[in-house]
């Protein structure tokens, strides 16, 4: 089991060390009066260390308050891998080991994989409740995989619009709409199930207690991750409709 206290301490020391080194480099640069390309790359590298350490600490602090690592274990594991890959990608890009276009493509890939892992992990929490919900979820997994796979050529092929053709993007838009619709249906049916079974514990909800005069009432609301996913899914449904709708009009 991961010791989050030690992990937090590691990122804190990394953050403090990076800030100290960054300050030293900045002071030396000011005293010498020679701010060259190498100095800029060193400072930018240290800045990326600080950014990635802060992101990691943010997730650890969020876990301490909401136990996110227990609720969305798969997503968090994928996200930490992405943070490591993101750091390496940024370093390779800063020192010109890979092109700016490749850096952009890799970050787009990380974004797609990150959301797909969040999407899949949240869907898995609604499994084994009702048979029809399971069917919707498994169909959702299929269309989610289709969307992710279809996005990869769009990310990596130059001038993808001409290379892949309009029908490809129409098919991608249709798959995205089905994916988003199935996910929202899953969330709706899951909420209906939880309303019928109020004593059942929900990993997708945050709960807190509101103290009054000798009265404690427990309130529940959807996790912030679920709300982020819902917003993303609504956009995934609406944007293709707007895009192709405007194209047909104009």
């Amino acid at each position: 089991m991961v010791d989050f206290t030690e992990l937090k301490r590691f990122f804190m020391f990394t953050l403090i060390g990076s800030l100290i080194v960054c300050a030293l480099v900045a002071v030396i640069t000011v005293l010498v009066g020679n701010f060259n390309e190498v100095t800029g790359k060193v400072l930018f590298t240290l800045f990326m260390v600080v950014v990635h350490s802060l992101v990691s600490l943010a997730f650890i602090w969020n876990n301490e308050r909401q136990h996110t690592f227990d609720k969305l274990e798969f997503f968090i594991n994928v996200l930490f891998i992405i943070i490591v890959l993101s750091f390496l990608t940024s370093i390779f890009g800063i020192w010109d080991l890979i092109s700016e276009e490749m850096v952009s493509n890799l970050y787009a890939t990380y974004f797609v994989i990150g959301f797909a892992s969040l999407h899949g992990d949240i869907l898995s929490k609604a499994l084994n409740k009702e048979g029809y919900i399971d069917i919707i979820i498994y169909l959702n997994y299929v269309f989610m995989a289709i969307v992710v796979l279809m996005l990869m050529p769009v990310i990596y092929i130059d001038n993808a619009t001409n290379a892949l053709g309009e029908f490809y993007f129409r098919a991608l838009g249709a798959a995205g709409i089905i994916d988003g619709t199935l996910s929202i249906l899953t969330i709706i049916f899951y909420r209906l199930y939880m309303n019928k079974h109020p004593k059942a514990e929900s990993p997708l909800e945050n709960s807190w207690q509101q103290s009054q005069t000798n009265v404690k009432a427990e309130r529940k609301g959807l996790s912030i991750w679920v709300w982020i996913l819902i917003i993303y899914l609504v956009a995934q449904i609406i944007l293709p409709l707007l895009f192709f709708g405007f194209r047909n009009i104009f």
Side-chain angles (χ1 to χ4, degrees):
M1 187 175 180
V2 179
D3 187 344
F4 294 112
T5 302
E6 291 298 323
L7 196 59
K8 183 168 66 174
R9 186 177 302 168
F10 168 76
F11 285 118
M12 284 294 293
F13 282 129
T14 302
L15 179 61
I16 293 169
S18 299
L19 290 173
I20 293 173
V21 174
C22 187
L24 288 174
V25 172
V27 169
I28 293 172
T29 301
V30 170
L31 292 176
V32 174
N34 183 19
F35 189 91
N36 54 32
E37 184 180 358
V38 175
T39 305
K41 289 182 177 181
V42 169
L43 289 173
F44 199 17
T45 298
L46 292 169
F47 173 72
M48 295 311 295
V49 173
V50 171
V51 169
H52 287 83
S53 296
L54 285 174
V55 171
S56 301
L57 283 170
F59 281 103
I60 293 172
W61 286 328
N62 178 264
N63 174 69
E64 291 177 347
R65 289 185 290 110
Q66 300 182 358
H67 303 288
T68 308
F69 291 4
D70 295 329
K71 296 177 182 178
L72 298 170
E73 184 177 359
F74 176 75
F75 166 62
I76 293 298
N77 288 334
V78 171
L79 203 57
F80 269 108
I81 293 173
I82 289 176
I83 290 173
V84 173
L85 292 176
S86 170
F87 174 70
L88 294 175
T89 301
S90 66
I91 300 304
F92 290 161
I94 291 170
W95 294 96
D96 299 323
L97 298 176
I98 57 178
S99 65
E100 291 182 4
E101 183 181 4
M102 180 56 67
V103 171
S104 176
N105 292 342
L106 288 173
Y107 273 108
T109 303
Y110 300 153
F111 177 80
V112 171
I113 292 174
F115 252 107
S117 64
L118 172 63
H119 192 172
D121 206 355
I122 288 178
L123 287 175
S124 69
K125 307 306 178 185
L127 284 170
N128 304 319
K129 301 294 187 296
E130 297 283 0
Y132 66 90
I133 297 179
D134 290 351
I135 293 173
I136 294 174
I137 292 173
Y138 291 133
L139 281 174
N140 205 161
Y141 282 147
V142 172
F143 280 97
M144 182 173 62
I146 291 172
V147 170
V148 170
L149 291 174
M150 292 185 73
L151 281 173
M152 292 302 106
V154 176
I155 293 173
Y156 287 96
I157 294 178
D158 293 332
N159 198 7
T161 304
N162 294 330
L164 298 173
E166 183 177 345
F167 180 77
Y168 185 91
F169 287 90
R170 288 186 178 275
L172 175 58
I177 291 171
I178 296 172
D179 176 26
T181 303
L182 290 172
S183 297
I184 292 176
L185 285 174
T186 299
I187 293 172
I188 292 172
F189 287 134
Y190 178 79
R191 290 289 293 175
L192 291 174
Y193 173 86
M194 293 306 300
N195 288 338
K196 291 181 180 179
H197 303 81
K199 293 184 179 181
E201 292 187 5
S202 173
L204 300 184
E205 293 182 331
N206 291 328
S207 61
W208 64 95
Q209 289 186 337
Q210 185 179 19
S211 298
Q212 298 176 351
T213 307
N214 298 326
V215 177
K216 287 187 177 180
E218 187 175 6
R219 301 176 58 193
K220 291 186 178 181
L222 288 177
S223 166
I224 182 62
W225 297 107
V226 180
W227 282 115
I228 290 173
L229 181 62
I230 290 173
I231 294 169
Y232 169 75
L233 293 171
V234 170
Q236 184 172 298
I237 295 171
I238 293 176
L239 291 180
L241 292 174
L242 292 176
F243 177 76
F244 289 110
F246 279 121
R247 286 198 62 177
N248 290 333
I249 293 173
F250 298 105

